[in-house]
Amino acid sequence: MDNFIFSLNSTMPVFLVILLGYILKVKKFLSVEFADMANKFCFSIALPVMLYQDISKTNVREEMNLKFFLYCLIVTIVMFVLVWILAKLFVKDRSMVGAFAQAGARGSAAILGVAFVENICGDIGMTALMIVASVPFFNMLSVVILVCEAPRIGNEGISKIKSSLINIGKNPIIIGILLGLLASLAGFELPVMLDRSFDYIGRTATPIALIAIGAGFDLKEAITRLKPAIAASFIKLVGLPFIFLPIAIKIGFRDAEMVAILVMLAAPTTVSSYVMAKSMDNDHVLASNVIVLTTLISSITLTAWVFVLRTLGVI
């Protein structure tokens, strides 16, 4: 019973804040436009600042774990390729393959991931290292899949790949992490005035992001493309963790490392998968449905995974 209560206390506060955002939207306190701008603020400013602050104040030389970094990197590549193969084998409608593969593998490791790890561990722990290893490949592999499965490839497709790869280098989250790593390695400290200002900004990242997710939630979207959306959601929330968590346990990862790995594997599908699917002529409605379903169902599955890992004594 203690493990079950721990699991609920670890995951439910995150979803209750998301639910608050949805209720506020229904009651007309918040709008979809607010959700869009709040997501942009969190992605471009608050989350990069929070990650910079956490990493820059960590002794990276002492806490760098090459085995953990390589695990996250390799598993990210393998799971994207695996879901893509499954999509090509079993999704009958070829127009859905790209969106299915991307949405079934690409989780919200940064925004929701940071919220979960903070709630369970008290700080982001190894999450920043997981983001460095995984998020760039989340973006690059998504681009490759969506372009390859789009109705037209040609020069336009190649141009989109190049543009997306450049955008990865401009990703504010990646920039925040890299600057934090450089500051940690150099022993650089911000002046007190800036340090406190950065702390204030960073603390807004998690609550605003969660409220924005709720405010942007649309239950009507869950009705269409239901069967493939359920299949992709099952792969994302149950299948991938079922395959790769035992490997992580066997290797010997524990506590903050294991929580970060759980987030990488079992977090709900990121909202940006909808944007990319739409811009690359893939099935954006399917992508939207998977986002809705995984966000809703992960309140149950993540609680269950935390309970299992807690029972096994690895977190």
Side-chain angles (χ1 to χ4, degrees):
M1 180 59 72
D2 289 342
N3 289 339
F4 179 68
I5 297 299
F6 175 86
S7 305
L8 288 177
N9 288 337
S10 299
T11 57
M12 291 312 296
V14 172
F15 293 103
L16 289 175
V17 177
I18 292 175
L19 178 61
L20 172 63
Y22 178 73
I23 292 172
L24 290 175
K25 185 192 74 169
V26 171
K27 296 296 184 179
K28 307 298 184 183
F29 280 89
L30 302 177
S31 64
V32 175
E33 290 75 19
F34 164 84
D36 291 339
M37 295 305 296
N39 277 320
K40 186 175 181 180
F41 166 76
C42 289
F43 178 79
S44 300
I45 299 173
L47 191 57
V49 168
M50 184 188 73
L51 291 169
Y52 170 85
Q53 286 291 86
D54 285 331
I55 297 169
S56 65
K57 296 177 181 179
T58 301
N59 192 326
V60 173
R61 286 191 176 92
E62 290 184 1
E63 298 194 14
M64 177 61 180
N65 186 330
L66 183 59
K67 181 171 69 171
F68 175 78
F69 180 88
L70 290 175
Y71 173 89
C72 294
L73 189 153
I74 293 169
V75 167
T76 295
I77 296 172
V78 171
M79 70 181 184
F80 264 84
V81 173
L82 177 61
V83 177
W84 193 7
I85 292 172
L86 290 174
K88 292 183 77 68
L89 288 176
F90 296 107
V91 176
K92 295 180 181 179
D93 187 340
R94 311 316 298 173
S95 66
M96 295 184 182
V97 169
F100 183 100
Q102 182 208 200
R106 187 181 182 187
S108 182
I111 295 177
L112 278 180
V114 168
F116 283 123
V117 177
E118 275 190 319
N119 199 38
I120 296 171
C121 302
D123 55 57
I124 66 169
M126 301 300 290
T127 308
L129 194 58
M130 178 271 288
I131 291 173
V132 171
S134 300
V135 170
F137 284 93
F138 279 10
N139 286 276
M140 287 187 286
L141 293 169
S142 294
V143 170
V144 171
I145 290 172
L146 292 172
V147 169
C148 289
E149 297 297 339
R152 299 176 183 176
I153 299 177
N155 293 330
E156 184 182 356
I158 295 172
S159 175
K160 285 182 178 179
I161 292 178
K162 290 180 180 178
S163 175
S164 297
L165 292 176
I166 291 171
N167 287 334
I168 290 169
K170 296 178 180 178
N171 188 306
I173 292 173
I174 301 299
I175 292 172
I177 290 171
L178 292 177
L179 289 176
L181 288 171
L182 290 174
S184 175
L185 292 171
F188 173 76
E189 295 184 4
L190 290 170
V192 174
M193 185 184 302
L194 285 178
D195 184 61
R196 290 182 180 176
S197 299
F198 274 36
D199 278 339
Y200 289 147
I201 295 170
R203 288 174 190 172
T204 67
T206 299
I208 290 181
L210 296 179
I211 289 173
I213 289 171
F217 206 75
D218 188 352
L219 287 175
K220 293 180 181 179
E221 291 287 355
I223 298 174
T224 60
R225 309 287 201 282
L226 192 58
K227 288 184 179 179
I230 290 174
S233 299
F234 179 83
I235 291 171
K236 182 72 199 73
L237 301 177
V238 180
L240 295 177
F242 183 79
I243 294 170
F244 294 108
L245 282 177
I247 298 174
I249 294 172
K250 185 71 174 177
I251 291 173
F253 296 125
R254 296 292 184 270
D255 300 324
E257 295 171 339
M258 186 58 68
V259 175
I261 290 170
L262 174 62
V263 164
M264 180 185 77
L265 296 171
T269 301
T270 179
V271 175
S272 57
S273 64
Y274 167 84
V275 178
M276 289 182 65
K278 187 172 184 179
S279 66
M280 295 187 180
D281 300 322
N282 279 255
D283 194 332
H284 60 279
V285 176
L286 174 59
S288 175
N289 287 353
V290 177
I291 293 167
V292 171
L293 286 175
T294 54
T295 302
L296 184 64
I297 299 170
S298 60
S299 61
I300 299 170
T301 55
L302 271 171
T303 301
W305 283 120
V306 171
F307 175 76
V308 169
L309 296 177
R310 181 77 171 177
T311 302
L312 293 173
V314 296
I315 63 173

